[in-house]
Amino acid sequence: MFGNIIEKIEKDLSQLALFMLNLKSGENIKEREFINFQVKLAESLYNAMSLYREISQKEQQYIEKKESIDKTDFLEKMKKWKKQKLEIKETISIGKSIGDSFAYIFYRDSIEELEKHYKHPDNGLFVSGIGGRGEIEFIKANSTIDGYLVVYHAITNMLRIGDFSVCSLDGKVIGIGEIKSEYINDSNFPH
């Protein structure tokens, strides 16, 4: 299971990196491809982070049962999970580097804004759970606002203030926004 999921994520990241290379070389990119870039990258990183959390939960459960587990088996599993988590971290780092190259297009003439982001601590691996899912759904539904592109921060290493930026195509940041999510029970809505 782990190998298949990581392989799929890495394949998606390769396609996204190729997209950025094509963009850099001046290849004609369809608007929909351009807008879908962030969603595809965010979904890949979210899936990687979900896998990371799943492994961490297994690890924690195993640690809680440590006394009743064969020591060799315990050490082998912990070593395997540590290696898998490291691979996921590296995959997320690669994905966020691809996201940095995308975001820079829209921050290229707003270097002072980038400097503000760099003064804040890193956001970590990637958002997960309901918050992460909510942010991705927001980006899917709001790729632009009043004709400006919405740049999603979690797909980058460099954008650390807020959750998204509203940017012009000429490389200027118009504003920064924050997304809040909460779970709403479907039973409250008519079917």
Side-chain angles (χ1 to χ4, degrees):
M1 178 182 116
F2 172 82
N4 293 340
I5 295 171
I6 285 295
E7 193 174 294
K8 165 86 170 84
I9 292 167
E10 289 173 349
K11 181 180 176 192
D12 289 345
L13 293 180
S14 292
Q15 291 172 348
L16 293 166
L18 182 59
F19 171 86
M20 289 306 299
L21 286 172
N22 291 339
L23 184 63
K24 182 181 178 193
S25 69
E27 193 169 306
N28 190 13
I29 304 291
K30 295 176 184 152
E31 183 179 343
R32 182 60 25 211
E33 273 184 295
F34 196 74
I35 289 172
N36 288 339
F37 174 89
Q38 291 188 97
V39 173
K40 189 169 186 179
L41 180 54
E43 291 283 1
S44 293
L45 295 176
Y46 183 85
N47 291 340
M49 192 63 205
S50 295
L51 184 58
Y52 186 92
R53 285 183 65 195
E54 184 181 316
I55 292 168
S56 294
Q57 288 171 347
K58 285 181 187 177
E59 214 174 26
Q60 188 58 42
Q61 291 168 352
Y62 222 63
I63 289 169
E64 290 170 6
K65 298 176 185 176
K66 181 179 180 180
E67 299 305 318
S68 63
I69 299 171
D70 176 67
K71 185 177 180 180
T72 304
D73 181 49
F74 178 80
L75 292 173
E76 284 176 10
K77 286 229 166 113
M78 295 305 284
K79 184 177 178 181
K80 177 182 99 172
W81 289 328
K82 181 179 179 180
K83 182 180 175 189
Q84 289 175 339
K85 285 170 56 176
L86 180 60
E87 187 175 344
I88 294 168
K89 283 182 178 182
E90 290 171 356
T91 300
I92 290 172
S93 179
I94 290 166
K96 285 182 139 193
S97 294
I98 295 168
D100 284 340
S101 66
F102 179 81
Y104 186 75
I105 295 168
F106 306 101
Y107 266 78
R108 68 186 182 276
D109 287 334
S110 295
I111 301 303
E112 67 286 346
E113 293 297 321
L114 273 179
E115 289 172 353
K116 291 176 188 175
H117 283 281
Y118 277 121
K119 290 179 182 176
H120 283 264
D122 187 356
N123 295 340
L125 291 175
F126 194 78
V127 290
S128 59
I130 191 72
R133 177 56 37 209
E135 290 178 10
I136 292 171
E137 294 306 317
F138 175 84
I139 297 303
K140 279 181 182 178
N142 299 284
S143 56
T144 62
I145 296 176
D146 291 335
Y148 296 104
L149 184 75
V150 173
V151 177
Y152 182 36
H153 294 185
I155 63 168
T156 75
N157 291 304
M158 66 185 191
L159 302 179
R160 303 173 179 175
I161 302 169
D163 295 320
F164 67 93
S165 297
V166 179
C167 302
S168 64
L169 294 178
D170 64 352
K172 299 231 178 10
V173 177
I174 308 303
I176 293 176
E178 188 81 27
I179 303 166
K180 297 295 177 204
S181 302
E182 74 179 87
Y183 177 77
I184 298 175
N185 187 339
D186 288 338
S187 66
N188 294 332
F189 295 97
H191 293 282

